Amino acid sequence: MSTTTSSAAGPAGGRDLRPPRSGRSNGQWLVDGRAPLNPNEAFKQDGDPLGARQRIIDAYASAGYDAIPDDDLHNRFRWWALYTQRKQGIDGGRTAQLSASELSDRYFMQRIRMDGASLSVEQMRVIGAISNEFARGTLDITDRQNLQLHWIRIEDVPEMWRRLEEVGLTTIEACGDTPRGFLVSPVAGIDPEEIIDPSEAARHLHDTCLGDPEIVNLPRKFKTAFTGSPSLDVLHEINDISFVGVEHPELGPGYDLWIAGALSTAPFLGKRLGAFVRPEQVPEVWWGVIRIFRDYGYRRLRNKARLKFLMAQWGPERFREVLEADYLGYALADGPAPGPPRGCRDHLGTHRQADGRYWIGAKPPVGRLSGDVMLGLADLAERVGSNRARTTPLQNILLLDVPAERVEEAREGLVALGIDPDPGTFTRGMLACTGIEFCKFAIVETKALAARVAAELDERLADADLERPLTVHINGCPNSCARIQTADIGLKGQIITVDGERAPGFQIHLGGGLAAPGHEEAELGRTVRSLKVAADGLPDYIERVVRVYLADRYPEESFAQWAQRADEERLA
C-alpha cells in the first residue's frame, strides 16, 4: 500500500476540493475570531447545545411537540441524536422545495451510538422492547454501526433514555457538530490475526470525551475509526481520523494515522500522515486532531466546514507539523503503512475466534431489523451460550463467542430470524441509506427497493461466475450516507425523466472501492454523467452491466478495475 492516497479527483469520479476564498473571514477560530458568521454558528454559541436534554425531560415531554422552539427542534436536538423524521406522503420531487418544518413529521428518529461495544443480552432485550413499545417495531443498523429507531414521540423520549442509560447505552452526540459514533473493528479482541486490539482505546475516548464542553461545538461532524484487523474493516480512508493497526519494526504494534477522509457531494480520500501512534498516545493524538478541527476548521459556509477542506489547503505535511508542534508538544515516530488487506471485511459466515470459540456474521437485509428480531436474537444468544453481539459498518450483525458444538444451532436460529449467515451475492453486497421513508433529505425510496433488487439479482445472476461479491450501494440523495462513490455500483437517487415523465431514478457511479483483497488501493467510482436509470429498471441495468463485465474482463480483473477502464458504451 502506498504512503498516501490520491484526493477525489480525475477519473476516480471525484474532484479537487477548493477551500474557501482567502481575503475574508472564513470563521476559523484561531485566525478570524469566534464571531458567528451564520445562523448555525449562532445557535451553537447561544447556550450549550447539550442543554436541550434537560428541556426535553422537564418541559417538552409533558407540554408536547408544539411547545418545542425551532432552534431546539431542528438544531440542538441533534446533539442527542434526535431528528424529526420525514412527513409521510411527500413526493421526492418536492424535497428541495420545502422547508425543514414543512418536511417534518411530529415524530423523531433516535440514533443509539455503539462505538464498537458489544450488545449484551440485557441490552438487546431493552432495545427490542423500546422498539416495540415506542418505535412501531422499527430498528435499523446504520452503516456506522449505530442503531436507529423511528416513530418516536417527544412524550416518550425521557423514558426511552432512562431505559437505555440503565443498561449502559447512550445517544449523546450521535448526531450534530460533534465527535460522532466511532467505528471499531467488529472483530476487535477476537480476530486471531489481529495486529492490535483497539477496544480499550475506543472505550477510553467514549468514557472521557463525549459531552466534553471543549469539543461540543465543532465546525461540522467528526468521524473516528479504529481497527487492528488485517481486513481493514472500518473504512479508514473516509473517516476524519482513523487509527489503523500496524507493526512497527522497532516499537511493536500500534497505529498508522489517517486524516480527513469524507464523501458526501465532494468526496475526498483520507491522507496518511506517515506517523506511528503508540497505543498510549492515542488519546492525546485524537484530542489534538479534533482540536485542530475545532480551531482551524472553516465555519462560514457549512458546505466547506468538514476537515477535508482544511486538509486540501494544508496538505498532510503541514497538518502533521501543526499537530506535533502546537497540540502534542512532541514528534510522533515515522511508521509503516498498512499491509495489503487480507481476509473477509464483511465478517459474514462462521469464523474461529482467537479463544477457540466462533463468531457468526449474518446479514439483516439492508440492515433492517425489528423489535421482535432483536428480542429473538437475545434469546438465541442466551440459548447458545453467546451472550453478546456486535454491529458492523456494512449493516451486518455478528453473534460472538459461540461454542463449537452450538454453531449449527446458532446458524439455524439466525436464519429463522431472517438474518442470513450465507446470503446471496447481491444481498451480501447491498447497502442502503434510510431513504424517503423517513429522511427529510431523500428524493427516492431506498430500503425496500434495495431488498427487492438484491433478491431479484441473486436469482437472475445465480449462474454468474463472480469471483468476489459485488457491492451495490443505494443512496436516496446526493449526500452519500450509503457511500455510493466507494461501491462497485453506486446509485445516487434523483428525479429523472423517462419517456417525458418525471420518475424516481439514479445517477450511476461505477468502479469505486476501499482497500480490500484484490483492490488494494482505495478509488472513487467513475461517474458517467449521461447514465441514469429509473428505479424500476435497476435489475435490468445491473444484470446487463454485470454480464458485459463477465464477457469483457481480463483474467483476475475485478468489476471495479473493468468499470474504470471500459468504454462508456459498454457501461450503458
Side-chain angles (χ1 to χ4, degrees), residues 510 526 528 530-531 541 544-545 548-549 552 562-563 565-572:
L510 295 169
R526 170 185 180 183
V528 182
S530 61
L531 184 51
Y541 170 73
R544 183 168 66 250
V545 76
V548 172
Y549 154 66
D552 286 1
W562 169 79
R565 71 164 177 84
D567 294 336
E568 286 193 8
E569 59 266 23
R570 301 299 286 163
L571 305 177

Side-chain angles (χ1 to χ4, degrees), residues 159-422:
E159 175 61 14
M160 176 181 62
W161 284 348
R162 186 193 67 78
R163 295 187 195 180
L164 291 171
E165 290 162 7
E166 199 171 58
V167 293
L169 296 169
T170 185
T171 72
I172 189 172
E173 296 175 356
C175 304
D177 298 347
T178 65
R180 299 283 186 95
F182 311 148
L183 293 184
V184 183
S185 171
V187 293
I190 62 172
D191 183 351
E193 296 190 28
E194 186 173 58
I195 298 164
I196 187 171
D197 179 0
S199 303
E200 183 178 346
R203 189 181 308 113
H204 175 80
L205 292 179
H206 175 279
D207 292 346
T208 60
C209 295
L210 298 188
D212 190 310
E214 289 291 310
I215 52 172
V216 77
N217 179 0
L218 302 176
R220 285 291 297 272
K221 57 191 171 186
F222 183 86
K223 296 181 176 180
T224 301
F226 292 92
T227 188
S229 171
S231 65
L232 302 181
D233 52 2
V234 293
L235 327 170
H236 66 276
E237 305 98 329
I238 56 171
N239 281 268
D240 292 285
I241 184 169
S242 293
F243 296 90
V244 182
V246 291
E247 184 79 30
H248 192 283
E250 287 88 34
L251 300 174
Y255 299 97
D256 189 40
L257 185 60
W258 293 63
I259 302 292
L263 294 177
S264 192
T265 56
F268 187 82
L269 294 175
K271 302 296 185 182
R272 282 194 68 235
L273 296 197
F276 179 77
V277 181
R278 300 196 307 270
E280 66 273 16
Q281 294 173 324
V282 167
E284 292 176 331
V285 170
W286 185 88
W287 188 245
V289 171
I290 200 169
R291 286 184 297 140
I292 288 176
F293 181 41
R294 178 197 66 187
D295 295 343
Y296 289 101
Y298 304 117
R299 293 173 181 261
R300 187 177 67 84
L301 298 174
R302 281 187 68 75
N303 65 353
K304 302 275 188 183
R306 291 295 299 276
L307 185 59
K308 61 187 174 183
F309 291 95
L310 182 66
M311 177 62 81
Q313 183 183 42
W314 281 10
E317 289 185 8
R318 181 181 174 191
F319 197 101
R320 180 173 174 179
E321 288 171 2
V322 172
L323 173 63
E324 293 176 336
D326 298 344
Y327 289 83
L328 294 179
Y330 58 83
L332 296 167
D334 293 336
R342 64 182 191 273
C344 179
R345 187 171 61 196
D346 65 17
H347 301 305
L348 293 179
T350 303
H351 303 266
R352 187 179 176 88
Q353 298 179 179
D355 64 3
R357 292 178 291 179
Y358 290 82
W359 85 75
I360 305 171
K363 184 81 176 182
V366 293
R368 180 139 282 179
L369 299 169
S370 69
D372 286 344
V373 168
M374 184 60 85
L375 293 171
L377 186 63
D379 290 343
L380 175 65
E382 188 172 56
R383 188 166 66 248
V384 300
S386 160
N387 294 319
R388 62 178 182 142
R390 282 185 188 154
T391 54
T392 88
L394 297 176
Q395 299 178 328
N396 301 327
I397 197 157
L398 312 186
L399 193 61
L400 310 184
D401 307 333
V402 179
E405 66 273 14
R406 310 301 290 274
V407 164
E408 282 309 309
E409 180 184 355
R411 288 178 60 91
E412 291 169 3
L414 289 166
V415 170
L417 290 169
I419 312 173
D420 195 345
D422 188 26

Side-chain angles (χ1 to χ4, degrees), residues 325-554:
D326 298 344
Y327 289 83
L328 294 179
Y330 58 83
L332 296 167
D334 293 336
R342 64 182 191 273
C344 179
R345 187 171 61 196
D346 65 17
H347 301 305
L348 293 179
T350 303
H351 303 266
R352 187 179 176 88
Q353 298 179 179
D355 64 3
R357 292 178 291 179
Y358 290 82
W359 85 75
I360 305 171
K363 184 81 176 182
V366 293
R368 180 139 282 179
L369 299 169
S370 69
D372 286 344
V373 168
M374 184 60 85
L375 293 171
L377 186 63
D379 290 343
L380 175 65
E382 188 172 56
R383 188 166 66 248
V384 300
S386 160
N387 294 319
R388 62 178 182 142
R390 282 185 188 154
T391 54
T392 88
L394 297 176
Q395 299 178 328
N396 301 327
I397 197 157
L398 312 186
L399 193 61
L400 310 184
D401 307 333
V402 179
E405 66 273 14
R406 310 301 290 274
V407 164
E408 282 309 309
E409 180 184 355
R411 288 178 60 91
E412 291 169 3
L414 289 166
V415 170
L417 290 169
I419 312 173
D420 195 345
D422 188 26
T425 294
F426 289 91
T427 298
R428 180 173 190 159
M430 183 67 76
L431 200 71
C433 72
T434 298
I436 201 170
E437 182 181 10
F438 296 119
C439 178
K440 299 192 297 292
F441 298 112
I443 301 167
V444 299
E445 178 191 44
T446 56
K447 288 283 192 184
L449 173 68
R452 290 196 303 270
V453 169
E456 188 166 343
L457 290 171
D458 281 336
E459 184 174 337
R460 288 191 187 193
L461 288 161
D463 63 327
D465 179 22
L466 292 169
E467 296 176 0
R468 58 180 66 89
L470 294 184
T471 54
V472 180
H473 295 184
I474 299 183
N475 212 78
C477 77
N479 287 330
S480 199
C481 295
R483 308 192 289 267
I484 53 174
Q485 300 99 331
T486 63
D488 289 308
I489 302 172
L491 304 168
K492 179 174 69 180
Q494 55 188 230
I495 301 299
I496 67 173
T497 301
V498 180
D499 298 328
E501 300 290 331
R502 287 166 59 80
F506 296 89
Q507 168 73 60
I508 308 297
H509 299 254
L510 295 169
L514 301 179
H519 194 285
E520 293 179 7
E521 292 290 341
E523 189 168 22
L524 296 169
R526 170 185 180 183
T527 304
V528 182
R529 296 295 176 191
S530 61
L531 184 51
K532 296 177 172 63
V533 176
D536 59 9
L538 284 179
D540 289 342
Y541 170 73
I542 295 173
E543 180 184 12
R544 183 168 66 250
V545 76
V546 169
R547 291 198 185 279
V548 172
Y549 154 66
L550 293 172
D552 286 1
R553 65 182 172 179
Y554 299 142

Side-chain angles (χ1 to χ4, degrees), residues 6-10 13-19 265-268 271 304 309 312:
S6 63
S7 66
R15 57 186 176 178
D16 291 323
L17 297 189
R18 299 180 185 275
T265 56
F268 187 82
K271 302 296 185 182
K304 302 275 188 183
F309 291 95

